[in-house]
Amino acid sequence: MTAPQPPGRPQPTVGGTATARALCVLAPNPSPMTLDGTNTWVVAEPGSPLAVVIDPGPLDEEHLARVVATVEEQGRRVALTLLTHGHPDHAEGAGRFAELTGTPVRALDPALRLGEEGLAAGDTVTTGGLELRVIATPGHTADSLSFHLPADRAVLTGDTVLGRGTTVVAHPDGRLGDYLDSLRRLQSLTVDAEVDTVLPGHGPVLDDARGAVEFYLAHRAHRLAQVETAVESGLRTAADVVAHVYADVDRALWPAAELSVRAQLDYLREHGLIELP
């Protein structure tokens, strides 16, 4: 009997060329929360002298220099920097990267932008013949975006969908209702736009985008039911719910799990499914 495929069919390695237009430079910041490290994406149209960099990552001089060198080795220059969201492991190095490359930084959050242009859902970014479509995917954070790369039938998801494991809904900025809507939006993208590849912010590339998103939706429904049952059984605090529902999860991840539980409790209260003070 063969082992079942993990959700999304992750590729065996992290980093390097992922599609005809996307290459990953892995940041040296591995941790239980960042998995192998932050995936900094270099995206460019074949034959173009211009590249777009998505999520320069942490403020690590060697990593930022390596991203610049990778682009130059391709015979290109960085023309634009984009951010999926403002968490430091994705965005802290953006200011320094802008200094190194002389490029603007575009993001949904005005506080993260360098230059006059931001990003909004429905925007299309065109640089050197490359086309990226901006998809609103709030939930992990309020400012989370994904980028649809139609020519490669791929989507760059930041932390909305990871290459391994599941995502924290970072309460109170992140909201579960928004996150579920974002997953459904990505699910529609896999059907309507035939997107089959996830280029995540952490972990390996996923070759079954629809399977990955459907797994995330099922996982969230399962966890939500567990939290509701825990509250009905008498547990009253987020910490108590975590200890019960996430008992089989590494305790190092419990603080992050508590953020998601708080988001789940808010969701259940807002929908009248539980009563808590």
Side-chain angles (χ1 to χ4, degrees):
M1 180 182 295
T2 59
Q5 284 279 4
R9 292 202 304 266
Q11 292 186 8
T13 59
V14 178
T17 300
T19 69
R21 292 165 179 78
L23 178 149
C24 173
V25 182
L26 181 64
N29 61 334
S31 75
M33 291 299 297
T34 60
L35 305 181
D36 310 270
T38 300
N39 293 336
T40 294
W41 288 101
V42 175
V43 190
E45 191 66 18
S48 171
L50 305 179
V52 175
V53 169
I54 299 173
D55 290 351
L59 184 54
D60 182 294
E61 290 287 346
E62 290 187 9
H63 172 65
L64 299 177
R66 189 155 57 93
V67 175
V68 173
T70 298
V71 174
E72 290 176 347
E73 288 165 4
Q74 295 179 334
R76 299 185 167 106
R77 65 175 177 87
V78 180
L80 179 64
T81 302
L82 305 178
L83 298 177
T84 62
H85 65 296
H87 278 169
D89 56 311
H90 293 259
E92 185 184 33
R96 175 60 178 151
F97 191 71
E99 292 177 358
L100 293 172
T101 59
T103 60
V105 176
R106 296 180 64 183
L108 178 62
D109 184 349
L112 299 171
R113 300 172 188 168
L114 292 172
E116 296 182 358
E117 284 193 283
L119 289 171
D123 286 351
T124 298
V125 176
T126 54
T127 302
L130 180 75
E131 180 183 319
L132 289 167
R133 299 174 185 172
V134 181
I135 311 296
T137 49
H140 169 67
T141 61
D143 69 331
S144 288
L145 298 172
S146 295
F147 299 102
H148 176 204
L149 179 55
D152 286 350
R153 293 171 54 177
V155 61
L156 297 106
T157 54
D159 282 356
T160 300
V161 176
L162 304 179
R164 187 169 63 249
T166 55
T167 297
V168 173
V169 179
H171 180 274
D173 183 48
R175 294 177 56 82
L176 180 59
D178 291 342
Y179 186 65
L180 295 174
D181 288 343
S182 293
L183 289 177
R184 295 184 189 107
R185 198 169 295 121
L186 291 175
Q187 184 182 39
S188 295
L189 203 64
T190 68
V191 176
D192 299 338
E194 298 183 334
V195 165
D196 53 25
T197 302
V198 172
L199 308 177
H202 303 280
V205 171
L206 302 177
D207 289 329
D208 178 11
R210 185 172 181 179
V213 174
E214 289 178 351
F215 167 78
Y216 265 55
L217 283 165
H219 172 80
R220 284 296 166 198
H222 177 65
R223 283 296 194 208
L224 193 61
Q226 287 180 310
V227 170
E228 184 177 3
T229 299
V231 172
E232 290 172 348
S233 72
L235 300 180
R236 286 293 176 264
T237 70
D240 288 342
V241 172
V242 169
H244 178 73
V245 172
Y246 291 81
D248 59 342
V249 174
D250 184 345
R251 290 180 70 100
L253 298 175
W254 280 18
E258 185 169 334
L259 296 179
S260 285
V261 166
R262 290 183 182 278
Q264 290 165 336
L265 292 174
D266 279 358
Y267 179 89
L268 291 169
R269 271 192 296 257
E270 290 163 4
H271 288 75
L273 298 172
I274 61 171
E275 292 185 7
L276 280 176

